[in-house]
Amino acid sequence: MTPESVIIIGQQALVVTAMLSAPLLLAALGAGLIIGMFQAATQINEVTLSFIPKLLVLAAALYLGGGWMLKVIVGYSESLIRSIPSLIG
């Protein structure tokens, strides 16, 4: 196993991690922005008000994108497992 192969595997892992986390982070960001604008407009400064809508948005994003996320992680895992023999010897 060469240092180059370790770096390539690490880069692929970071790309897959970013691909899997980006939809959920963007959904939470969008929900937080909308809720923050609503709170600023109505002057309701309740911290717990933003929790339930963000949770619902994240659940919806996970429901809608969960199949794609599962395909990505399974594909990466399969390619990593298949490359074990070439990495060892």
Side-chain angles (χ1 to χ4, degrees), residues 9-89:
I9 291 171
Q11 286 176 341
Q12 290 173 346
L14 288 174
V15 168
V16 169
T17 302
M19 285 174 53
L20 293 177
S21 64
L24 296 176
L25 290 174
L26 291 175
L29 178 69
L33 183 65
I34 292 171
I35 293 166
M37 289 189 317
F38 174 75
Q39 285 181 332
T42 59
Q43 294 182 352
I44 299 173
N45 292 326
E46 182 63 34
V47 177
T48 58
L49 178 66
S50 65
F51 180 72
I52 297 297
K54 280 186 190 177
L55 186 65
L56 294 175
V57 167
L58 284 176
L62 194 57
Y63 177 75
L64 294 174
W68 171 78
M69 290 177 180
L70 189 60
K71 286 179 187 175
V72 169
I73 193 69
V74 167
Y76 175 71
S77 299
E78 284 179 351
S79 69
L80 193 60
I81 291 170
R82 285 187 184 139
S83 69
I84 288 175
S86 64
L87 294 174
I88 293 174

